[in-house]
């Protein structure tokens, strides 16, 4: 049966290339692109942050009129539109008191105190938007705690209005962040007080946005099948495992795809040389260029280059890598290059290790997308020893760029990387289980031995990864099934 094109409204705090702190922004916009190319009317609402690059902002157009946002008290905001032909339509809600800041979520002293108010505002704006546009979505697809109040509004104060038949799908990209607030947020958001109950939004005497969203969304997804199982158990359920078991029948794990045009070694304009699966000589030039610039050496081929590009937070397990790095470079003939920023102590640790091992370890403290592309292209191996990883995109990027991922068997890493022990004809990387110093050291040693002793296997594994299909093709169809299930619940 052929289904009609859907009207989908995505609500998100990030969308690449406008505003991104990590993979959430990549995932939302590449899924939106994929759904739009399948013929659906996809629109995306996000805040008009002052960090959106000026050259992108130049293409936004103001919508006529002012949106009134019906929180406990009415607020008024302007909307801007960016609607390139054949692509999703983006709406940016302007409210400088909340979104005119140097960063998306946090300052030097941690998360912004008014984050609950900022994202309650976004969610309520998403509820008021359809009438303003005279465009009623079939389904809301909302992402993480920042958009989790949308399903709650839909099932409470907006239950009988024009959105009465609109379904909701909540995708959890990272359960570590749940959106805790003082209970007074209920009045601020204009929500009813009966939500302040343990089987709704209440948590530890306050309010948990995500918990409420999980109770009320018509369908729940997370970004890999393994993570969808892991969060039902205490170790990775972050206190919500009981809620997931309660809603378990509606929870689906769908592996993220990637934007294969943006991440394409054969046409990536940021690289010094392009290459594809049939000829990797360009990759060697990328490695040579990188090693010359960052390690001040002329040759590239002799030693393996291990790379990590990451937010530096405990989730990513790079503290364990930092602890063993001196031991690794003293006992193995390898080079390490790391790009990242996050926890200050880890940044300091990596910076001081780099000073002790010049020419062998290089660390760049910061966020730099061009450099990320160049490092992944130059890498022989990509290290990602995450404590937990809902999906992970960088291991997908690295396989596409012929860098073999070394990953811990968790979440989307387990679902996307085929380990060497599965046989060289299928393998795309190295998978280890325990996040211990010894296990990570052994995995790096295993990769190093493959590089030096089995270059043919190495090439086969690189080609296996480069040939894998990481497009949204299949996953976006699974999201469409979820949208239809959600809509059925509202008919
Ligand atoms: P997460 O969202 O948990 O950070 P993902 O692997 O899903 O992990 O996505 C990370 C995204 O952020 C990728 O696009 C990666 O290239 C990018 N990224 C992370 N840290 C940096 C950095 N320091 N510089 C440039 N890009 C980065
Ligand atoms: C989160 C997760 C990451 C995932 C990304 C996109 O940031 O930490 O694993 O890839 O969202 O879904």
């Amino acid at each position: 049966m052929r289904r009609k094109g859907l009207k989908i409204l995505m609500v998100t705090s990030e969308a690449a290339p406008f505003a991104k702190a990590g993979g959430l922004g990549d995932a939302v916009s590449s899924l939106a692109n994929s759904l739009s190319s399948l013929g659906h009317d996809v629109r995306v609402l996000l805040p008009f942050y002052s960090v959106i690059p000026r050259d992108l902002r130049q293409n936004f157009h103001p919508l006529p009129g002012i949106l009134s946002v019906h929180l406990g008290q009415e607020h008024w905001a302007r909307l801007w539109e960016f609607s390139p032909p054949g692509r999703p339509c983006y709406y940016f809600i302007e409210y400088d008191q909340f979104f005119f800041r140097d960063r998306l979520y946090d300052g030097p002293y941690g998360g912004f105190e008014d984050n609950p108010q900022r994202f309650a505002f976004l969610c309520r704006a998403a509820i008021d938007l359809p009438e303003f546009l005279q465009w009623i979505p079939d389904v809301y697809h909302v992402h993480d705690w920042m958009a989790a109040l949308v399903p709650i509004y839909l099932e409470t104060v907006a239950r009988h209005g024009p959105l009465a038949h609109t379904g909701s799908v909540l995708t959890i990209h990272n359960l570590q962040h749940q959106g805790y607030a003082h209970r007074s947020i209920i009045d601020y958001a204009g929500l009813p007080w009966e939500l302040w109950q343990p089987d709704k939004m209440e948590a530890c005497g306050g309010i948990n946005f995500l918990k409420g969203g999980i109770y009320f969304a018509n369908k729940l997804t997370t970004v890999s099948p393994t993570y969808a199982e892991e969060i039902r158990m205490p170790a990775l359920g972050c206190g919500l495992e009981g809620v997931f078991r309660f809603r378990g029948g509606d929870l689906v794990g769908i592996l993220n795809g990637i934007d294969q045009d943006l991440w394409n070694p054969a046409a990536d304009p940021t690289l010094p040389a392009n290459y594809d699966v049939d000829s990797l000589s360009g990759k060697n030039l990328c490695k040579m260029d990188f090693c010359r610039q960052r390690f001040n050496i002329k040759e590239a081929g002799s030693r393996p280059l291990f790379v990590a590009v990451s937010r530096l937070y405990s989730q990513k397990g790079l503290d364990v890598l930092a602890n063993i790095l001196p031991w690794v470079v003293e006992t193995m003939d390898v080079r390490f290059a790391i790009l990242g920023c996050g926890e200050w102590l880890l940044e300091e640790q990596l910076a001081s290790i780099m000073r002790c091992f010049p020419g062998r370890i290089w660390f760049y403290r910061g966020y730099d997308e061009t450099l990320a592309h160049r490092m992944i292209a130059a890498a022989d191996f990509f290290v990602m020893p995450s404590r937990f990883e809902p999906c992970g995109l960088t291991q997908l990027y690295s396989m596409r760029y012929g860098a073999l991922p070394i990953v811990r068997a968790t979440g989307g890493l387990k679902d996307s990387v085929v380990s060497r022990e599965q046989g060289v004809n299928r393998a795309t990387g190295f998978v280890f289980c325990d996040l211990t110093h010894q296990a990570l050291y052994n995995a790096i040693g295993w990769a190093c031995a493959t590089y030096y002793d089995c270059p043919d296997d190495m090439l086969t594994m690189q080609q296996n990864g480069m040939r894998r299909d990481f497009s949204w093709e299949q996953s976006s169809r699974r999201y469409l099934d979820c949208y239809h299930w959600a809509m059925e619940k509202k008919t």
Side-chain angles (χ1 to χ4, degrees):
M1 187 183 65
R2 198 176 145 70
R3 289 160 162 177
K4 74 174 174 76
L6 294 183
K7 288 184 278 181
I8 304 159
L9 180 53
M10 298 221 180
V11 187
T12 178
S13 58
E14 295 180 30
F18 307 107
K20 157 180 164 184
L24 170 63
D26 290 356
V28 169
S29 26
S30 52
L31 171 60
N33 283 343
S34 168
L35 291 165
S36 165
S37 67
L38 291 174
H40 300 280
D41 182 357
V42 186
R43 309 196 185 186
V44 184
L45 174 70
L46 75 157
F48 195 149
Y49 298 107
S50 51
V51 294
I52 295 176
R54 194 175 292 273
D55 57 324
L56 298 174
R57 268 191 269 164
Q58 277 169 357
N59 302 314
F60 297 179
H61 300 287
L63 290 182
I66 299 285
L67 176 74
S68 70
V69 181
H70 295 95
L71 291 154
Q73 289 187 342
E74 203 171 358
H75 292 48
W76 291 273
R78 242 186 347 161
L79 280 162
W80 296 75
E81 183 187 51
F82 176 62
S83 185
R87 291 265 172 169
C89 172
Y90 284 86
Y91 297 112
F92 299 87
I93 185 151
E94 183 183 349
Y95 200 74
D96 284 353
Q97 185 190 327
F98 283 155
F99 304 122
F100 196 87
R101 305 194 182 171
D102 290 344
R103 292 170 56 87
L104 302 190
Y105 308 118
D106 49 12
Y109 306 108
F112 296 132
E113 268 184 27
D114 60 355
N115 275 342
Q117 286 79 3
R118 297 171 79 218
F119 293 109
F121 173 84
L122 173 70
C123 293
R124 182 65 229 201
I127 296 293
D128 291 312
L129 183 67
E131 265 200 284
F132 178 83
L133 297 175
Q134 294 293 299
W135 176 87
I136 305 295
D138 296 311
V139 66
Y140 278 90
H141 186 176
V142 306
H143 299 269
D144 274 350
W145 77 265
M146 297 75 102
L149 291 195
V150 171
I152 304 172
Y153 281 118
L154 284 177
E155 299 301 321
T156 55
V157 291
R159 199 172 176 161
H160 300 296
L163 299 172
H165 300 295
T166 299
S168 62
V169 174
L170 166 63
T171 295
I172 294 144
H173 295 261
N174 194 332
L175 194 53
Q176 199 173 36
H177 309 287
Q178 300 182 7
Y180 289 105
H182 187 269
R183 60 182 185 271
S184 58
I185 195 75
I186 290 196
D187 283 334
Y188 178 86
L191 285 165
W193 270 95
E194 63 253 30
L195 290 172
W196 196 53
Q197 289 182 36
D199 63 348
K200 294 194 171 72
M201 295 183 78
E202 191 273 340
C204 308
I207 287 291
N208 181 327
F209 278 37
L210 192 63
K211 179 178 171 185
I214 295 168
Y215 272 114
F216 282 101
N218 300 129
K219 198 79 195 168
L220 301 167
T221 74
T222 184
V223 287
S224 69
T226 294
Y227 194 59
E229 293 307 316
E230 288 171 338
I231 56 179
R232 292 169 209 247
M233 307 301 284
L236 293 185
C238 298
L240 295 185
E241 56 277 6
V243 189
F244 284 117
R245 285 202 295 270
F246 175 68
R247 291 289 327 262
D250 285 310
L251 172 62
V252 185
I254 305 175
L255 197 69
N256 283 332
I258 61 171
D259 182 332
Q260 299 207 114
D261 295 330
L262 191 65
W263 289 93
N264 177 7
D268 188 333
T270 66
L271 304 185
N274 292 112
Y275 57 94
D276 61 26
V277 65
D278 297 319
S279 164
L280 287 168
S281 56
K283 182 168 175 68
N284 207 39
L285 289 176
C286 292
K287 181 176 171 186
M288 204 145 47
D289 183 73
F290 181 81
C291 289
R292 198 177 48 236
Q293 282 190 29
R294 310 296 169 176
F295 292 104
N296 204 15
I297 42 170
K298 293 210 170 51
E299 98 295 1
S302 61
R303 288 177 184 170
L305 176 65
F306 290 73
V307 160
V309 175
S310 182
R311 294 184 292 120
L312 299 178
Y313 291 98
S314 73
Q315 172 188 347
K316 300 294 175 180
L318 289 179
D319 50 318
V320 180
L321 177 67
N323 290 343
I324 62 165
L325 262 183
W327 180 29
V328 170
V329 295
E330 274 168 359
T331 54
M332 299 181 209
D333 205 6
V334 297
R335 285 196 186 96
F336 264 86
I338 299 170
L339 163 64
C341 52
E343 280 163 14
W344 182 83
L345 265 179
L346 184 52
E347 290 179 357
E348 285 293 301
Q349 187 183 359
L350 287 167
S352 82
I353 295 173
M354 173 173 90
R355 287 192 290 274
C356 296
F357 297 93
R360 278 186 283 172
I361 298 176
W362 181 78
F363 168 56
Y364 182 85
R365 184 183 204 158
Y367 187 93
D368 185 328
E369 299 221 350
T370 300
L371 188 54
H373 280 245
R374 291 190 179 161
M375 286 173 68
I376 292 173
D380 297 301
F381 302 103
F382 189 87
V383 189
M384 210 165 165
S386 304
R387 288 196 163 75
F388 71 94
E389 196 61 70
C391 176
L393 298 175
T394 40
Q395 85 281 9
L396 306 179
Y397 300 150
S398 68
M399 285 187 268
R400 187 149 164 81
Y401 277 58
L404 302 184
I406 300 171
V407 301
R408 194 172 154 250
T410 182
L413 302 178
K414 189 173 171 189
D415 291 338
S416 59
V417 180
V418 181
S419 190
R420 178 152 164 61
E421 67 217 305
Q422 305 285 319
V424 75
N425 291 331
R426 291 183 54 224
T428 61
F430 302 85
V431 182
F432 64 99
C433 288
D434 300 325
L435 187 55
T436 60
H437 294 139
Q438 187 68 56
L440 180 57
Y441 179 89
N442 291 349
I444 292 170
W446 188 17
C448 194
T450 305
Y451 179 93
Y452 282 117
D453 304 338
C454 314
D456 292 344
D457 287 4
M458 171 103 194
L459 179 62
T460 306
M461 289 169 69
Q462 287 176 300
Q463 291 175 327
N464 292 344
M466 293 178 80
R467 288 204 175 97
R468 289 272 299 271
D469 177 11
F470 296 118
S471 70
W472 272 101
E473 183 70 29
Q474 281 184 26
S475 295
S476 57
R477 290 184 197 281
R478 297 201 59 209
Y479 273 108
L480 286 171
D481 288 337
C482 291
Y483 299 158
H484 282 279
W485 289 324
M487 285 156 54
E488 272 164 29
K489 290 197 178 184
K490 296 303 286 278
T491 47

